[in-house]
Amino acid sequence: VPDCPRVARFQRALVAAGRSPAAFVSYLDLIAGRSHPGWALPRGGLVRIESPGRCFEVEKALLALGADVDDEPGPSRISREEALRLVFDRGRLRHPRQWFLGYREVLRRVDAGLDRFLHTPLNPSEEVATMFDKRLCHALLAGRGVACPEGLGRVNSYEALRDRMRRTRISRVFVKLAHGSSASGVVALAVGARGVVATTTVEAERAGGELRLYNTRAVRRIDDEAEIAAVVDALAREGVHVERWIPKAGLDGRSVDLRVVTIAGKAEHVVLRMADGPMTNLHLGGRRGAVEALLNRMPEGAWAA
């Protein structure tokens, strides 16, 4: 996306490293067939796929593209024409499965061009698509022996979720949109002696008999079970991934976790994130912490492992 800050920072980093700025292909031009990485680069170039970001025109184009992709019934769908007529509604969660189908189609188009022009992807399209499918990603990691929170399988309603929690004896879960990122459409749900409590980035609003979901940076707590059920039901209709909520480590009175960036099979960069609640995303009010503070509390062998 041309005005994306991530793109601008990456271009500046290239220049600072003594390299030329990267050739640029926008999502809108790629979807419309006006450009392609294969045309913008000499044969054998390197291709970096960047996030489609928060551009509403790209979101509409991806929904329109996804409208033509056959899929299993269940999640909400709209036609290509309806997608292109959508009006911006800040934070609105719309047809995440259809968005994913459109984005996966874009990635396939990129792949076809890379093969033709002998380009090398820095982040392979298939892996990017897997990353945007939480159910598939969880299954892949677990199948490779990576430690993952226990999954509860597919649920299609709040009632089904509570039944699954009772049968598995799991009282705390994370409910996540199967196709979402940056904690969009996430509910941390806990069941205890005092009832049900949810912490979520989702706001629900009824308009004309329709329940609309919005993504918000203001993480909120809900203790009204009827409201919790309505939110979970609406998310479940779009497709969710549910897993055991494992309590995070604590440091200086806050929950903490680590983001570890792995390059060519080696852990190269670590970010310690701290928050007052279960979601540590920086854009939700979490803050960076000093990794050294955590290292001082951990045995050396544990960190090496």
Side-chain angles (χ1 to χ4, degrees):
V1 178
D3 57 356
C4 173
R6 290 165 58 98
V7 172
R9 287 195 291 266
F10 184 70
Q11 297 284 40
R12 288 198 296 270
L14 287 172
V15 173
R19 298 181 177 273
S20 301
F24 183 90
V25 175
S26 77
Y27 274 97
L28 288 177
D29 285 345
L30 179 62
I31 293 170
R34 294 188 294 263
S35 187
H36 190 282
W39 309 340
L41 288 172
R43 290 174 69 84
L46 299 174
V47 175
R48 171 186 171 92
I49 301 173
E50 185 52 88
S51 164
R54 296 185 293 271
C55 176
F56 183 57
E57 293 304 315
V58 172
E59 180 179 348
K60 291 199 300 182
L62 291 172
L63 285 170
L65 194 60
D68 299 329
V69 180
D70 290 334
D71 193 35
E72 60 188 32
S76 63
R77 300 288 294 266
I78 56 175
S79 69
R80 165 182 286 271
E81 293 73 22
E82 289 171 321
L84 296 176
R85 287 198 302 266
L86 287 174
V87 177
F88 180 71
D89 190 1
R90 185 177 180 83
R92 178 88 177 271
L93 296 174
R94 309 185 202 240
H95 318 290
R97 174 66 180 178
Q98 184 169 329
W99 179 96
F100 170 75
L101 295 174
Y103 191 52
R104 191 178 64 184
E105 180 61 26
V106 167
L107 294 172
R108 288 173 175 171
R109 292 183 183 185
V110 171
D111 264 354
L114 299 189
D115 290 343
R116 179 182 173 191
F117 293 97
L118 304 179
H119 295 327
T120 301
L122 295 178
N123 38 1
S125 299
E126 182 179 353
E127 295 181 11
V128 175
T130 299
M131 183 183 67
F132 273 101
D133 185 333
K134 286 183 171 58
R135 292 181 294 212
L136 180 59
C137 190
H138 186 276
L140 175 69
L141 292 173
R144 298 288 178 87
V146 178
C148 296
E150 180 182 349
L152 275 73
R154 295 199 178 200
V155 298
N156 55 16
S157 68
Y158 177 73
E159 182 179 352
L161 171 63
R162 289 299 308 276
D163 179 66
R164 191 75 50 81
M165 292 173 69
R166 283 189 289 268
R167 287 195 285 112
T168 57
R169 298 183 180 181
I170 295 176
S171 61
R172 292 157 54 96
V173 297
F174 266 102
V175 181
K176 309 176 181 182
L177 276 176
H179 310 292
S181 60
S182 302
S184 174
V186 169
V187 179
L189 184 73
V191 179
R194 296 183 179 181
V196 186
V197 176
T199 303
T200 182
T201 59
V202 178
E203 286 186 358
E205 177 183 298
R206 290 200 176 274
E210 176 189 21
L211 185 66
R212 298 177 179 177
L213 299 183
Y214 292 85
N215 188 44
T216 173
R217 293 187 179 186
V219 179
R220 63 196 192 103
R221 176 187 170 100
I222 312 173
D223 54 16
D224 181 307
E225 188 169 11
E227 184 179 356
I228 295 171
V231 169
V232 172
D233 280 343
L235 291 171
R237 282 193 292 271
E238 301 297 346
V240 293
H241 168 69
V242 183
E243 60 189 26
R244 182 192 292 269
W245 171 1
I246 298 176
K248 290 179 171 60
L251 186 67
D252 296 336
R254 290 183 171 87
S255 299
V256 300
D257 66 7
L258 296 168
R259 281 297 174 97
V260 183
V261 181
T262 304
I263 301 172
K266 183 180 179 183
E268 296 280 8
H269 183 65
V270 177
V271 176
L272 174 68
R273 307 186 304 180
M274 311 179 71
D276 294 323
M279 301 171 195
T280 56
N281 302 67
L282 300 180
H283 74 286
L284 297 179
R287 64 179 180 85
R288 293 174 184 263
V291 175
E292 292 73 22
L294 185 64
L295 288 174
N296 290 335
R297 298 279 297 276
M298 289 182 68
E300 184 177 338
W303 179 260

